[in-house]
Amino acid sequence: GGGGGGGCGGGGGGGGAPAAPPPAGGGGGGGGILVPMYLAIGHFSPHYGIPLSKATIFGGAITNNYFNLKRRHPVANRPMIDYTACMLLEPVLLLGTILGVFFNAVSPGWAITVLLVVTLCYTTYRTGLKAYETYIKEEKAEAEDETSRLLPAGNPNGNKKHFTFNDDHELPPELRAIVKAESGHNLYSVGVLSVSWVVIATFSLLKGGEGGEGVFPCGSVGYWALVLAPTPIIFSLVWYVGNRASAAYYRKVELGYEFPEGDLHWTKRNTRVFPLYCITAGFAAGALGIAAGTILGPVLLELGLLPIVATTSSGFMVIFTASSTTFQFLVMGQLQVDYAMFFCMIGLLGGAVGNTSVNWLVKKYKKTWFVVAILTFVLFMSVFLMGYAGYVRWAVAEHHGKNMGIRSLCPSLLNPHVHAMR
């Protein structure tokens, strides 16, 4: 299936709709599991199975963040989500989704599958190492009776708390104001992410796609100008908020702010370099159908965030990335609204199951290493499932002599009757 039709309805070969709860509790949206399922069980082509996975991931992200917004940081008196990291990394990640969506639209299915397997193999290796490191660290801490330092379980052992838990009158006025501001949710960061989302969505609508007419014909100079237009806007926005973040960081240093374990240090250099890492994650989200959190979670771990903070923050960013890529696929004509809504509801249910299970395990065992281990397991399974599904589809396509080359981005240029059929 997947060769005909302008949306998902043409992608299914008549098989039932596969569904599984995304591993939202582990910080990944589950695209590495969902895409092979849609390909192997639902008989969708990669060009339609991947958009369906994004709609499912979006549903899971909604439930994921319903739980995450209530959680608190394991060391400091603040929300679990690192809003500064999200504000600086997510806009560039959204920019990467534009490239990914285009790549998915024109690339042959085998190329998408190969890139998926290679990406997932490397990510599995790096995440597995991080899970092992976290396990060793937490076992050592438990042996030294320091478990309460790793998890905010009421600090039962009486160990020293981070200074942000102290009474306000014990802090200097300016430091007190910083602590108070950080103790709540950062609406400024949410606003930055919302503006970035609107910029990407607006130019996607103006550009149009296979599923809708844009203000310029597909492939024209005006068309490509609209494709590239978000780039300077997003980079200017990240540059501006990066300056604010670095200024706030240096002021904290001057005031003697005690940074908790796992805090990212937003120096001027880091505000410029770290966001660039996310272009790859955005590209993978748009092109390969895996959740941005599957790539971004390991990236945040490598940057130094605590495992549970990294997975929560990547989960927060996934809701913006998944909704953006789903919207872009709708505009490109690769996803039907009814299919998107159905699989979004499946994701909502799966996210509730995943979060409830992982949260129970964290509270029961007072450990976070298995959160990373869950993500590693999901990635490991994804490698095999995606490789198998890709091989089967390649064999079928080869047997039937199907075209396995580059697809046309603008089919109307090759077939002028496309417009007449709409």
Side-chain angles (χ1 to χ4, degrees):
C8 293
I33 297 291
L34 292 171
V35 173
M37 289 181 63
Y38 291 145
L39 267 58
I41 302 176
H43 301 292
F44 292 96
S45 73
H47 304 95
Y48 296 112
I50 286 176
L52 283 178
S53 77
K54 302 312 298 183
T56 314
I57 290 167
F58 174 53
I62 294 174
T63 307
N64 193 19
N65 284 282
Y66 170 79
F67 288 93
N68 287 343
L69 288 172
K70 302 177 182 179
R71 294 171 179 159
R72 303 295 292 179
H73 194 280
V75 177
N77 183 24
R78 64 174 72 152
M80 183 80 79
I81 299 170
D82 189 329
Y83 284 103
T84 303
C86 295
M87 176 178 64
L88 286 167
L89 303 181
E90 177 65 13
V92 180
L93 193 149
L94 287 174
L95 200 60
T97 64
I98 298 178
L99 299 174
V101 169
F102 271 98
F103 182 86
N104 176 269
V106 302
S107 297
W110 64 264
I112 297 174
T113 302
V114 169
L115 279 177
L116 258 174
V117 172
V118 171
T119 302
L120 291 173
C121 280
Y122 178 75
T123 307
T124 302
Y125 167 72
R126 297 299 304 175
T127 309
L129 286 180
K130 196 66 180 183
Y132 178 73
E133 292 172 4
T134 306
Y135 170 77
I136 295 299
K137 179 179 180 181
E138 291 188 345
E139 289 299 308
K140 181 180 178 181
E142 186 177 40
E144 298 172 356
D145 199 28
E146 294 179 1
T147 306
S148 61
R149 182 175 60 83
L150 297 176
L151 286 167
N155 207 35
N157 297 328
N159 292 356
K160 181 181 178 182
K161 292 182 179 180
H162 189 253
F163 83 94
T164 52
F165 289 99
N166 297 340
D167 294 332
D168 284 348
H169 66 270
E170 299 179 11
L171 302 174
E174 188 174 356
L175 198 55
R176 186 189 314 151
I178 292 174
V179 171
K180 183 178 180 180
E182 290 183 343
S183 66
H185 294 288
N186 191 331
L187 297 182
Y188 177 80
S189 295
V190 176
V192 170
L193 300 183
S194 300
V195 168
S196 303
W197 194 100
V198 170
V199 168
I200 300 296
T202 299
F203 283 101
S204 294
L205 277 176
L206 293 175
K207 169 183 63 62
E210 186 178 347
E213 298 295 338
V215 296
F216 295 105
C218 180
S220 66
V221 174
Y223 176 88
W224 289 112
L226 289 175
V227 170
L228 298 175
T231 303
I233 298 175
I234 294 298
F235 274 112
S236 297
L237 179 64
V238 172
W239 189 277
Y240 172 76
V241 298
N243 287 339
R244 285 176 56 104
S246 62
Y249 167 77
Y250 289 125
R251 185 55 183 160
K252 284 182 178 181
V253 173
E254 293 174 0
L255 293 171
Y257 184 94
E258 180 187 340
F259 293 93
E261 178 188 359
D263 253 17
L264 297 182
H265 292 245
W266 292 110
T267 62
K268 183 77 73 173
R269 175 188 178 277
N270 289 347
T271 60
R272 304 293 185 247
V273 175
F274 286 1
L276 297 179
Y277 297 157
C278 294
I279 293 180
T280 302
F283 177 84
L288 310 180
I290 55 179
T294 305
I295 303 295
L296 190 58
V299 169
L300 293 177
L301 290 172
E302 290 287 339
L303 294 181
L305 280 181
L306 295 176
I308 201 164
V309 176
T311 55
T312 303
S313 300
S314 66
F316 179 70
M317 287 187 266
V318 164
I319 195 170
F320 291 92
T321 310
S323 59
S324 177
T325 49
T326 300
F327 182 80
Q328 291 179 64
F329 279 127
L330 285 168
V331 173
M332 293 288 288
Q334 293 180 256
L335 183 62
Q336 287 183 186
V337 175
D338 53 350
Y339 273 64
M341 292 180 64
F342 173 78
F343 285 102
C344 182
M345 294 303 298
I346 295 295
L348 281 168
L349 177 62
V353 173
N355 270 280
T356 302
S357 303
V358 171
N359 197 33
W360 179 81
L361 289 171
V362 171
K363 289 182 178 180
K364 179 175 176 62
Y365 295 104
K366 303 294 187 290
K367 298 288 177 61
T368 62
W369 65 265
F370 62 81
V371 176
V372 190
I374 290 173
L375 180 58
T376 304
F377 175 75
V378 170
L379 291 169
F380 181 76
M381 291 298 297
S382 299
V383 171
F384 286 96
L385 289 172
M386 181 54 66
Y388 173 75
Y391 172 77
V392 170
R393 292 199 62 85
W394 172 83
V396 171
E398 181 74 12
H399 177 73
H400 291 284
K402 292 184 178 180
N403 176 29
M404 300 174 66
I406 301 296
R407 290 154 52 99
S408 173
L409 177 65
C410 307
S412 59
L413 297 181
L414 299 177
N415 184 4
H417 299 292
V418 169
H419 296 297
M421 293 187 292
R422 287 175 181 160

